[in-house]
Amino acid sequence: MTASAKREAGDPASPFGNAQTPFAGFGLGLRVPHYADILDARTGPHPDVDWFEIISENFFEAGGLPRRNLMRVRERYPVAMHGVSLSIGSSDPLDMDYLHRLKTLADLLNPPVLSDHLCWTGAHGLNMHDLLPVPLTEESLKHVAGRVRQVQDILGRRIALENPSSYVAFDCDEMSEWDYLSELTRQADCDLLLDVNNVYVSSVNHDFDAVAYLDGLPADRIKQIHLAGHENNGDHIVDTHDAPVTGVVWTLYGKAVERFGTVPTMIERDGKIPAFDILVAELQTARRLQRGVLHAAPKERAA
Amino acid sequence: MTTLANLQTLFQRHLLEGDAALAPYLARGGAFLPVYRNAYGARLREIMAGEFPGVAALLGPDRFEATVDVYLADHPSTHRNARWLGRHFTDWLGATDIGRRHPVLVDMAAYEWALSFAFDAADADALPPEVFATVPPDAWPGLTFAFHPSLRLLTLGHDLVDFRKAAAEERDPDNAPTALEKTSGWAVWRDAESLTVQHRPLADDEADGLSALTDGGDFSNLCDRIADHLDASLVAARAAELLGHWVGAGWIVDLGGFTLDAHAD
Ligand SMILES: [Fe+2]
């Protein structure tokens, strides 16, 4: 299987035969303060929100209000699953209990995309509850690719890995993050979730060209896009997910649309969560921007 | 050790202990490495403050933070899901000086952990009352009970409810929690309809009887415990009354200790 061989999940040639929930348009992260708006019985699905994304681990416990609300949202919308604890880059063995819970939830929701991050979250049996950077070496690439294949076999679905924001790089790094991710999609037959904000944050922290990053990624592997806000501390930027998307990230998103086309896009907000309508309005900005870019240069983007 | 494993060991040691051995392996001297260590402490303290707002309000923000930092050094997270971070907190606090001097802190921690646990514990269908009519009379003494996964029994020496509610809603509480004349059993559980977390104090015979059953005892053990509190002539009626309360609250989800074969015909 070569990198250019395009396979969609559900395609008979795919080892992952699940009939996938259709996935297009613009979504939001599902957050507790918005449940009342989302589940208002008088209104149907919101006309400007096409899908939601959950943090998978928040729904691992079996019962109660979180599960009831999730299933009500699922009745109205496709629900993508985004995890934070897969720890695909860890030197610890894969956590089979974790994968079992993830699979149970995925089988219930049939997410159009199931994602986590290129990172590790702990070693020696501990968990740091953070997305920690992996060294960009052949050694770690081989390790991560093997684990992605194992995870996909266990889940029976392809996963997408997201580029994390990072604040340090390793002296032993042998390649750029975009080359690493591209090679990973080839070796592991996995997809990518492109976080445009994270590309920008890391490009400042590590002084690389954000557009070169986008140009270096395989277009056919990008299944979802994240947009978020950050905190600029002058010499470095922290990915806080607690503010509106900034102008420079909107610009970079425009470049991503030029290159990757109509990839399902969402806004992530994890802190200082504003009213639902405010986030929907911000999402409309993404929708207009995408439409504008595609009208302006329909032929130039890579398919 | 591989490079990957080695770097992760050093990185983690930096987050947990501030160990500096990682820095030489980082590009540009790792100028922004403190972002990770600061985020680690801040994130875990925030999770603990979310789980234990009552303990935080009793201690005040600075002392709570200092206490949590010591707890996390003793019990770093071993679980993929951060919601389990506080699972050792009550026992740990009970063994500290401050916990021994101020048992209200330990009571509050136990109460808050039960609330949090009940919130999203597994679902289970309550047993309909009619099922009891199918139990053959001679099976009653050996009858055992399975309880709803959300049900937690506590023994508390303080009235915590109003104070905790105010703390969770970030209001100033009217009064500090008052010590009860004697400790009392409490039940915390999730209501099956509203899915809200409920709590109520238990009568002494009820608390004793319930803990006998949750420890795996049978109906005869329940009656024995009730008999510690009541005249023998009243025990059967009281046991029936308590079972009625528990079934009504949806606490009982299964019966054991007998087979339906005995009365299938
Ligand atoms: Fe993201």
Side-chain angles (χ1 to χ4, degrees), chain A residues 57 61 63-64 66 68 85-86 89 91 95 120 122-124 126-127 129 133 139 143 166-167 169 171 205-206 235, chain B residues 2-4 8-9 12 24-28 32 36 40 43 77 79-81 84 119-121 123 190 193 195:
Chain A
E57 290 84 355
E61 300 320 311
R68 180 191 279 179
S85 301
L86 178 61
S91 47
D95 181 336
W120 60 289
H124 308 292
L126 298 184
N127 206 300
H129 302 291
E139 180 209 16
H143 175 72
S166 61
Y167 311 101
D171 261 342
N205 294 341
H206 306 304
D235 63 341
Chain B
T2 64
T3 314
L4 180 70
Q8 291 182 347
T9 299
Q12 190 160 286
Y25 295 91
L26 299 177
R28 302 198 291 174
F32 311 138
Y36 287 106
Y40 173 74
R43 181 175 306 104
S77 178
H79 209 283
R80 295 291 166 116
N81 192 341
W84 295 107
F119 176 67
D120 61 357
D123 291 319
R190 187 176 69 228
E193 275 304 305
L195 300 184

Side-chain angles (χ1 to χ4, degrees), chain B residues 51-231:
Chain B
E51 295 282 0
F52 298 101
V55 178
L58 287 169
L59 282 172
D62 293 347
R63 207 129 58 112
F64 180 71
E65 193 175 306
T67 305
V68 162
D69 284 351
V70 183
Y71 167 70
L72 292 173
D74 285 354
H75 293 283
S77 178
T78 55
H79 209 283
R80 295 291 166 116
N81 192 341
R83 62 101 72 204
W84 295 107
L85 192 60
R87 67 189 151 148
H88 304 296
F89 190 54
T90 304
D91 289 345
W92 178 87
L93 199 55
T96 59
D97 274 352
I98 193 169
R100 278 193 292 262
R101 271 184 285 123
H102 304 285
V104 64
L105 292 169
V106 186
D107 269 9
M108 184 64 86
Y111 173 56
E112 298 197 290
W113 189 249
L115 294 178
S116 168
F117 182 90
F119 176 67
D120 61 357
D123 291 319
D125 290 333
L127 215 56
E130 306 83 74
V131 172
F132 288 92
T134 69
V135 178
D138 59 351
W140 272 92
L143 197 62
T144 57
F145 302 81
F147 290 88
H148 195 277
S150 71
L151 180 69
R152 279 286 173 279
L153 303 181
L154 303 170
T155 306
L156 301 175
H158 298 81
D159 183 3
L160 307 168
V161 176
D162 291 342
F163 185 91
R164 201 279 173 180
K165 191 165 190 299
E169 293 167 3
E170 293 174 14
R171 286 186 284 110
D172 281 334
D174 297 331
N175 299 298
T178 46
L180 302 170
E181 273 175 38
K182 61 183 188 64
T183 61
S184 161
W186 282 73
V188 175
W189 77 102
R190 187 176 69 228
D191 177 66
E193 275 304 305
S194 65
L195 300 184
T196 54
V197 177
Q198 311 282 320
H199 47 75
R200 71 168 172 87
L202 301 169
D204 289 346
D205 62 340
E206 183 178 27
D208 278 358
L210 258 181
S211 52
L213 295 182
T214 54
D215 287 347
D218 57 24
F219 186 74
S220 69
N221 299 125
L222 169 67
C223 294
D224 291 346
R225 294 294 187 90
I226 294 172
D228 295 339
H229 299 266
L230 280 184
D231 186 85

Side-chain angles (χ1 to χ4, degrees), chain A residues 82 117 162-163 193 195 198 226 241 268:
Chain A
H82 185 51
H117 303 78
E162 173 177 350
N163 57 301
L193 190 165
D195 189 312
N198 293 355
H226 277 172
H241 283 188
E268 272 188 311

Side-chain angles (χ1 to χ4, degrees), chain A residues 91-152:
Chain A
S91 47
D92 274 4
L94 285 171
D95 181 336
M96 290 303 155
D97 175 63
Y98 175 87
L99 288 171
H100 174 74
R101 287 166 187 268
L102 192 62
K103 179 173 166 51
T104 303
L105 192 60
D107 290 346
L108 183 73
L109 298 176
N110 193 20
V113 170
L114 188 156
S115 62
D116 203 290
H117 303 78
L118 173 67
C119 73
W120 60 289
T121 62
H124 308 292
L126 298 184
N127 206 300
M128 302 293 104
H129 302 291
D130 199 357
L131 312 174
L132 303 169
V134 294
L136 304 173
T137 60
E138 292 289 351
E139 180 209 16
S140 89
L141 178 60
K142 195 168 157 236
H143 175 72
V144 172
R147 284 158 68 94
V148 171
R149 282 194 302 268
Q150 241 182 304
V151 167
Q152 293 184 147

Side-chain angles (χ1 to χ4, degrees), chain A residues 161-202:
Chain A
L161 287 179
E162 173 177 350
N163 57 301
S165 291
S166 61
Y167 311 101
V168 299
F170 297 92
D171 261 342
C172 61
D173 285 353
E174 295 160 2
M175 63 192 99
S176 66
E177 192 171 282
W178 56 92
D179 283 344
Y180 187 101
L181 286 169
S182 305
E183 191 53 31
L184 183 61
T185 64
R186 283 189 280 274
Q187 291 190 16
D189 186 20
C190 66
D191 290 326
L192 297 176
L193 190 165
L194 173 66
D195 189 312
V196 175
N197 176 62
N198 293 355
V199 170
Y200 177 71
V201 167
S202 292

